[in-house]
Amino acid sequence: MPGPSEAVPIEAVADGVRLALRVTPKASRNAIAGLAATASGGTVLKVTVTAVPENGKANEAVVKLLAKAWKLPKTSLTVVAGATDRNKIVHVAGDPADLMRRLTALVETATGDPVSSNGGKSDG
C-alpha cells in the first residue's frame, strides 16, 4: 500500500503500471492538471475532461487524453477501477520498468505546468 512519501501515483504491476487518478468531467478543457493529495495520505493525478460522465464518455476521454499526452496506444490503457467514480485506477500495459521511468518523468513535468512542458529543463 503506497504511503504518504509516494511522490507520484504510479505503481508497477506484473504486466505494466497502475495509475491513480481523480477525474473532473464537464471541465472547460481536457488537461492533466497536476497532483493532489488524498484524504488517506496518498497521491492522485488530477485530470480534467470536457466529456460528460454518461455511458463511459468521460472514461473514454481520459484514456484518449493520457494516450496522446504519453504517446501510447489507446489500447494499452484500461480503466480497471472506479468506472463510475471520480477516483479511478488506470492500468497501462507494457514493460513496468520502462513505463515507471517514462510516466514518472511525464507526471512530474505535468505538475510543474499543466498547460505545456518546459522543454525538459528543470531547476531541480
Side-chain angles (χ1 to χ4, degrees), residues 105-122:
L106 290 167
V107 166
E108 288 172 348
T109 298
T111 61
D113 181 1
V115 177
S116 64
S117 70
N118 59 5
K121 303 254 181 204
S122 168

Side-chain angles (χ1 to χ4, degrees), residues 25-119:
K26 298 194 300 186
S28 60
R29 66 190 177 115
N30 293 329
I32 298 172
L35 296 176
T38 65
S40 62
T43 305
V44 294
L45 182 66
K46 295 188 299 183
V47 177
T48 61
V49 293
T50 58
V52 295
E54 297 171 358
N55 302 322
K57 291 178 184 173
N59 290 341
E60 290 174 22
V62 167
V63 167
K64 184 177 178 182
L65 170 67
L66 296 178
K68 183 177 179 182
W70 296 338
K71 296 176 178 51
L72 296 168
K74 286 189 285 189
T75 54
S76 70
L77 283 82
T78 309
V79 176
V80 294
T84 59
D85 193 334
R86 289 172 47 108
N87 295 310
K88 302 183 185 302
I89 303 291
V90 172
H91 179 265
V92 183
D95 175 53
D98 178 52
L99 288 169
M100 283 294 290
R101 186 172 47 255
R102 287 179 53 202
L103 298 185
T104 299
L106 290 167
V107 166
E108 288 172 348
T109 298
T111 61
D113 181 1
V115 177
S116 64
S117 70
N118 59 5

